[in-house]
Amino acid sequence: MKISNTKKLAAITAAFFITVTAFSGCSESASSSQTTSSVSQAAKSDIDASIAAEDIDVGYDEESSVGITFSDGSAAIDGEGATSEGETVTISQAGTYILSGTATNGRIIVSADKTAEIKLIFNGVDITCADNAPLLVSKAKKVYIVLEDGTENVLTDSASYSLGEDDSNTDGAIFSKADLTINGSGTLTVNANYKHSIVSKDDLVITDGNINVTSASTAMEGKDSVKISGGTFNISAGTNGIKSTNTEASDKGFISVTGGSFTVVANNDAFEAETVLSIQGGSFDITTGGGSANASMKSDGTPNSDWHNNMGNGGGGPNGMGRPDDNGNGTGGEPPAMPTADNTDTTDSISTSAKALKAGNEVNISGGEFKIDSADDSVHSNGSIVITGGNISAASGDNGMHANGNLTISDGTVDITKSYEGIEGSIVTIDGGTISVAASDDGINCAGGSDTGSTDRMGADQFSAQEGVELNINGGTVTIDAEGDGLDSNGNFTIAGGTVYVCGPTNGGNGALDYNGTATVTGGTLIACGAVGMEEGFGDNSTQYSVLHDLGSTVSANEKLTITDSDVKEILSFTPTKTWQSVVFTSADLKEGETYTITAGTQSETVTIDGIVTSNSSGKNFGGGHGGKRGF
């Protein structure tokens, strides 16, 4: 877009600031004031994720710009501020430079004053470099890449670089030691055969553009931060998709996304922020590590050695790097060559993490549409996870969502279609939203510690209650289908609102509800079905009536369960998709002294409420669970 100085000023004036708040901490229940150190760190972070008007503006004055045209092994320069040597162009002054043409072995080097702001207009430029970065920003205050509307722009490097002392850390096809912004509505294709595709050692900001990236290693990296407000991204990465790596300051190392359309296929993590990953909008189609079929965990919770082996040789990687076949195996494409000594990236290559959304301090999702297929956790934080909106559909080879600290969901849709454990954290609080979980182990698990990926991983059963570990359901609709425990807290469990359905285990070694502390119901609705053997009900410290009842025999799958009062009015109903024999239910409609009929398949039994907890079970604690009371 070529506009006059007057129009350019008007465009800047009309532009606006996009401010992204880096949310910190998460809601705690009234019964706990504990926070983890990682959550506290996030709370102290003063993250500036604003996008300024100049990052959005694509206007420039063509008459005052410098034209650079590549052709026939040379580069013609029309104006001051740049010099050429063959197909290598060096820009040394602030200003606007319009680049076009083709270089078969060329480079663009920006080496200006540290106060210089430089705008590079990509107007149909195609540059291949045989031994270095096609675009190197060695010194400047800030560089803008503007993708001219309707143009195709391509940067390609080779599998090895010839580096000297001055550029020894160059490891990206676009490599900037200054702040880097990409905007405009044109197309940018980056073919990174050496390591990374787009790297900024400061802030990386993208506000628009059609960006296609294929990289041997990380696709896009902003050391201090990555801020994205728009654009269309097609990313195929040998290791990570988009990452921010600064570990030296709490207000850096973050990723903020407020819009854009993303298709990411990554061998390792798709989005990885050292501190905070904040997503407010956008659409995301993410595959990591070959997808959930190429699971990082076996169904028994032990690491899948085949997956780790595949990760090391490219199996399960992106297009051209061992794309998985229909079964998720890394056989659908040729794996990349093993890295040579001069291009081995030890930081990336030793990692076998294949998570979709990952952060060191906090993952915060308040909007967006997500389709995730991950070999490892779909959403992971070493600190907290806060979900206040968005629509998330995730199939995971390990955990659907895992937080070492607190995990809070207050709105939005979370649909975990496949997982080892569905949702886990130290304190899991559900205040709203629509949540559904399918898990080969526990549906929701609360425990202290971290996700170690071993038999003593977070969620391993413990006999004593863990202090500061809680499951709190205060609202929303929760549906669980779990082969292990349906709702499992190594501490306390409280339900004060919402609607909960649990299709629990078919084996007696697990329960629809499992807790090591207390289980209290003060409101809401719950109906949980599972096997007989380890079944538990609510405790007598509750204020709402509940029932734990074992039927005389097993009920077949897909038989409707109904609970009716003496007037044959339906109080609760549920259709479990698996066989079951034990049911826990609670509702504000239950009343002491009233008789209710439980009907499932051909079985029909009555129960009379004679206390806050009524039970006929002799399960886990030989008396109807913690505080259970035999009522028949």
Side-chain angles (χ1 to χ4, degrees):
M1 179 180 183
K2 310 173 186 68
I3 60 179
S4 67
N5 283 327
T6 301
K7 290 182 178 179
K8 178 180 178 182
L9 180 60
I12 294 176
T13 303
F16 55 93
F17 286 87
I18 300 173
T19 302
V20 179
T21 301
F23 298 93
S24 59
C26 64
S27 300
E28 294 182 336
S29 68
S31 60
S32 174
S33 60
Q34 177 180 352
T35 57
T36 65
S37 59
S38 56
V39 174
S40 298
Q41 177 65 44
K44 294 176 182 177
S45 299
D46 183 21
I47 292 174
D48 178 13
S50 60
I51 293 180
E54 54 265 28
D55 291 316
I56 302 169
D57 176 48
V58 297
Y60 61 94
D61 182 3
E62 186 174 9
E63 293 182 1
S64 63
S65 300
V66 178
I68 300 174
T69 305
F70 294 91
S71 67
D72 300 325
S74 64
I77 299 174
D78 182 12
E80 302 294 327
T83 59
S84 65
E85 182 178 345
E87 291 183 308
T88 298
V89 170
T90 301
I91 296 171
S92 57
Q93 295 180 18
T96 299
Y97 299 82
I98 305 174
L99 298 104
S100 61
T102 300
T104 57
N105 187 18
R107 297 187 70 197
I108 304 166
I109 300 172
V110 175
S111 181
D113 187 84
K114 64 181 181 180
T115 63
E117 294 195 5
I118 293 167
K119 182 170 285 190
L120 304 177
I121 312 300
F122 278 22
N123 189 35
V125 65
D126 187 340
I127 298 176
T128 299
C129 186
D131 60 0
N132 215 306
L135 172 56
L136 170 65
V137 179
S138 63
K139 186 185 292 185
K141 178 182 179 181
K142 189 167 186 175
V143 171
Y144 301 85
I145 296 174
V146 179
L147 307 175
E148 185 66 48
D149 183 27
T151 64
E152 300 277 345
N153 305 277
V154 182
L155 297 181
T156 304
D157 67 6
S158 65
S160 63
Y161 281 12
S162 177
L163 301 173
E165 292 184 5
D166 293 340
D167 59 357
S168 60
N169 68 335
T170 302
D171 58 4
I174 296 177
F175 186 84
S176 176
K177 296 180 181 180
D179 291 336
L180 178 65
T181 291
I182 300 174
N183 62 22
S185 57
T187 297
L188 172 64
T189 298
V190 182
N191 303 305
N193 299 294
Y194 176 58
K195 289 183 183 177
H196 314 313
S197 289
I198 302 171
V199 177
S200 170
K201 305 308 288 185
D202 289 325
D203 295 327
L204 174 61
V205 178
I206 303 175
T207 62
D208 200 1
N210 301 294
I211 299 174
N212 306 308
V213 171
T214 302
S215 63
S217 190
T218 296
M220 302 194 311
E221 177 183 326
K223 179 180 179 180
D224 288 351
S225 72
V226 177
K227 310 173 191 178
I228 300 174
S229 64
T232 300
F233 301 82
N234 289 287
I235 293 173
S236 180
T239 57
N240 298 94
I242 299 173
K243 68 188 296 186
S244 184
T245 60
N246 193 317
T247 61
E248 299 169 359
S250 61
D251 61 341
K252 299 184 185 299
F254 68 89
I255 298 174
S256 168
V257 180
T258 59
S261 176
F262 301 83
T263 300
V264 181
V265 179
N267 227 13
N268 293 141
D269 304 319
F271 289 78
E272 180 185 6
E274 191 64 37
T275 55
V276 174
L277 172 59
S278 174
I279 299 177
Q280 292 191 349
S283 62
F284 304 81
D285 188 340
I286 299 172
T287 304
T288 65
S292 60
N294 196 25
S296 64
M297 301 296 296
K298 295 180 180 179
S299 60
D300 62 0
T302 59
N304 183 350
S305 59
D306 291 339
W307 176 77
H308 289 278
N309 292 336
N310 283 341
M311 293 297 291
N313 64 19
N319 187 23
M321 300 178 185
R323 176 180 288 278
D325 60 20
D326 291 339
N327 295 318
N329 300 311
T331 58
E334 292 296 323
M338 293 301 291
T340 56
D342 64 342
N343 75 343
T344 300
D345 185 341
T346 56
T347 300
D348 285 338
S349 62
I350 63 174
S351 172
T352 54
S353 175
K355 299 171 175 64
L357 307 175
K358 176 182 174 182
N361 287 355
E362 180 176 305
V363 174
N364 192 297
I365 299 173
S366 58
E369 301 284 333
F370 300 84
K371 178 185 177 184
I372 296 172
D373 190 10
S374 59
D376 206 338
D377 297 351
S378 293
V379 183
H380 178 99
S381 174
N382 292 342
S384 62
I385 295 175
V386 180
I387 310 294
T388 59
N391 296 303
I392 302 170
S393 176
S396 173
D398 197 350
N399 300 321
M401 292 185 176
H402 170 92
N404 284 1
N406 299 351
L407 190 154
T408 302
I409 302 173
S410 60
D411 203 354
T413 300
V414 175
D415 183 13
I416 299 173
T417 60
K418 177 183 177 183
S419 65
Y420 174 67
E421 290 193 332
I423 295 172
E424 64 178 8
S426 293
I427 298 178
V428 175
T429 302
I430 298 174
D431 293 323
T434 301
I435 299 117
S436 58
V437 171
S440 60
D441 194 42
D442 298 343
I444 298 178
N445 177 64
C446 302
S450 62
D451 183 359
T452 62
S454 66
T455 53
D456 63 349
R457 55 182 279 121
M458 179 177 186
D461 288 337
Q462 300 182 32
F463 293 106
S464 60
Q466 290 183 275
E467 184 178 354
V469 172
E470 300 174 8
L471 171 57
N472 303 302
I473 300 177
N474 304 312
T477 300
V478 180
T479 304
I480 304 292
D481 185 340
E483 296 296 332
D485 298 320
L487 304 176
D488 183 5
S489 174
N490 282 7
N492 298 330
F493 169 38
T494 300
I495 176 169
T499 303
V500 182
Y501 302 97
V502 178
C503 184
T506 58
N507 69 84
N510 294 285
L513 306 183
D514 182 33
Y515 54 93
N516 291 354
T518 62
T520 305
V521 55
T522 62
T525 300
L526 176 143
I527 184 164
C529 300
V532 168
M534 297 291 285
E535 68 272 24
E536 291 188 279
F538 290 98
D540 55 14
N541 58 336
S542 300
T543 60
Q544 178 170 291
Y545 296 105
S546 67
V547 173
L548 168 60
H549 188 82
D550 295 345
L551 291 176
S553 60
T554 300
V555 180
S556 299
N558 299 311
E559 294 279 4
K560 184 178 180 180
L561 162 65
T562 60
I563 298 159
T564 56
D565 63 15
S566 56
D567 295 326
V568 199
K569 176 185 175 183
E570 184 177 293
I571 303 298
L572 294 167
S573 66
F574 180 42
T575 304
T577 57
K578 296 178 295 189
T579 60
W580 63 277
Q581 188 173 353
S582 177
V583 60
V584 182
F585 60 90
T586 182
S587 167
D589 292 332
L590 298 180
K591 295 178 175 58
E592 187 170 12
E594 291 290 323
T595 298
Y596 299 90
T597 301
I598 302 170
T599 304
T602 59
Q603 299 185 67
S604 183
E605 299 183 10
T606 61
V607 55
T608 300
I609 306 293
D610 65 351
I612 200 70
V613 177
T614 302
S615 173
N616 74 338
S617 172
S618 58
K620 180 175 180 180
N621 288 278
F622 306 102
H626 297 290
K629 177 181 178 182
R630 297 184 65 88
F632 311 103

